[in-house]
């Protein structure tokens, strides 16, 4: 049984990362009908392999795999380069883009209802108004607007998780987390903490003192 790289990518985006079909198609650079066809065929092959005990081989041309858990694989055809060379290029690019380890560890992302540390923690992770990115060493912070995500009919948690990953934080504090957001955050090794009915400042202080509850899974269902 042979699975193409495009089929694996479709399954990864839709079934592993729970992307809405429209966004998954956009990431792959194909139309929604084409994405649906690719995904349907991939699922059929996987079901056939599992039920009938068939070996699965993945192939389909030169490609570069970006090991970041959220970024899509990038399909590169006709370059005349070995897959190993392309993979090394992707790995080096990822290292260049990512913040240094110490920088990641000292930054925490807190969902907020406003622009200051006295603002309340926004308890809806996916549709929080703001993200406050707080530096534990210096006490400085920056505010990231999330207003474009507030009206999303679906995929808000995934998009917010994507924003947190791009910020370079390794810890996120919010009120409640749905399963799709948790799946993406945990794939990026980001720790989740819960803060209810308190200001951002209080949440930060409790986190420093080890008095915030850590979550190891979602505490709400999808689309809550």
């Amino acid at each position: 049984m042979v699975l193409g790289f495009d089929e694996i990518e479709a399954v990864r985006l839709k079934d592993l990362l729970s992307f809405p079909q429209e966004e998954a198609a956009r990431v792959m650079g194909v139309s929604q009908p084409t994405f649906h066809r690719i995904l349907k065929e991939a699922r059929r092959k996987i079901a056939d392999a599992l039920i009938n005990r068939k070996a699965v081989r993945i192939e389909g041309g030169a490609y570069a795999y970006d090991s970041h858990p959220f970024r899509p694989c990038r399909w590169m055809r006709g370059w005349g380069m070995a897959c190993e060379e392309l993979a090394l290029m992707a790995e080096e690019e990822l290292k260049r883009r990512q913040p240094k380890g110490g920088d990641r560890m000292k930054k925490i992302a807190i969902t907020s209802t406003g622009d200051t540390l006295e603002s309340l923690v926004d308890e809806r992770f996916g549709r929080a108004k703001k993200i406050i990115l707080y530096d534990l060493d210096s006490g400085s912070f920056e505010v990231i607007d999330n207003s474009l995500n507030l009206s999303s009919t679906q995929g808000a948690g995934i998009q917010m998780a994507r924003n947190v990953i791009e910020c370079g934080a390794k810890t996120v504090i919010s009120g409640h987390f749905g399963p799709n957001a948790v799946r993406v955050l945990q794939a990026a090794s980001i720790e989740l903490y819960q803060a209810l009915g308190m200001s951002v400042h209080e949440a930060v202080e409790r986190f420093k003192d080890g008095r915030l509850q850590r979550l190891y899974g979602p505490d709400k269902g999808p689309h809550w």
Side-chain angles (χ1 to χ4, degrees):
M1 179 68 65
V2 177
L3 277 171
F5 289 121
D6 54 347
E7 293 171 329
I8 287 294
E9 177 70 344
V11 170
R12 188 183 77 93
L13 291 172
K14 183 64 177 175
D15 296 338
L16 180 61
L17 296 181
S18 301
F19 272 43
Q21 181 167 308
E22 180 180 0
E23 184 174 356
R26 180 184 59 78
V27 168
M28 289 187 62
V30 298
S31 66
Q32 287 193 59
T34 297
F35 178 84
H36 177 74
R37 176 183 56 77
I38 294 171
L39 181 64
K40 182 178 179 181
E41 179 64 11
R43 287 172 171 171
R44 184 194 67 78
K45 290 180 179 180
I46 292 170
D48 185 14
L50 289 173
I51 293 170
N52 296 311
R53 300 182 180 181
K54 295 181 179 180
V56 175
R57 186 172 71 253
I58 301 171
E59 61 182 35
Y63 73 100
Y65 178 72
D66 191 331
S67 58
H68 191 287
F70 200 85
R71 294 190 185 99
C73 300
R74 290 166 292 172
W75 314 109
M76 302 180 183
R77 304 181 185 277
W79 279 30
M81 301 178 67
C83 293
E84 291 82 1
E85 292 178 283
L86 291 171
L88 286 173
M89 289 173 58
E91 184 177 352
E92 289 302 316
E93 183 180 353
L94 178 62
K95 290 178 181 178
R96 179 178 61 80
R97 289 182 182 180
Q98 286 184 331
K100 295 181 180 179
D103 292 337
R104 291 198 304 272
M105 293 304 294
K106 69 182 182 181
K107 289 182 179 179
I108 58 176
I110 309 103
T111 56
S112 174
T113 58
D115 297 336
T116 72
L117 297 182
E118 300 309 315
S119 303
L120 290 175
V121 172
D122 199 320
E123 296 184 4
R124 298 193 67 181
F125 175 76
R127 290 183 171 81
K129 293 180 180 179
K130 311 279 184 178
I131 302 173
I132 289 184
L133 190 63
Y134 186 88
D135 189 307
L136 290 170
D137 283 351
S138 67
S140 62
F141 67 93
E142 60 178 298
V143 180
I144 300 169
D145 185 69
N146 189 48
S147 58
L148 293 178
N149 209 28
L150 296 180
S151 58
S152 298
T153 57
Q154 57 180 344
I158 292 174
Q159 182 58 49
M160 178 61 104
R162 186 178 190 176
N163 292 341
V164 170
I165 292 170
E166 291 298 325
C167 288
K170 295 302 289 183
T171 299
V172 60
I173 299 173
S174 189
H176 301 287
F177 298 86
N180 294 335
V182 168
R183 187 180 300 115
V184 175
L185 291 168
Q186 289 182 338
S189 300
I190 293 176
E191 296 181 354
L192 284 60
Y193 287 84
Q194 188 172 54
L196 300 173
M198 66 184 74
S199 68
V200 172
H201 174 74
E202 183 179 355
V204 169
E205 293 304 310
R206 290 194 180 196
F207 172 77
K208 290 178 181 178
D209 296 340
R211 293 186 291 125
L212 275 188
Q213 179 182 356
R214 183 174 175 183
L215 298 179
Y216 294 90
D219 68 319
K220 292 288 185 179
H223 313 300
W224 67 280

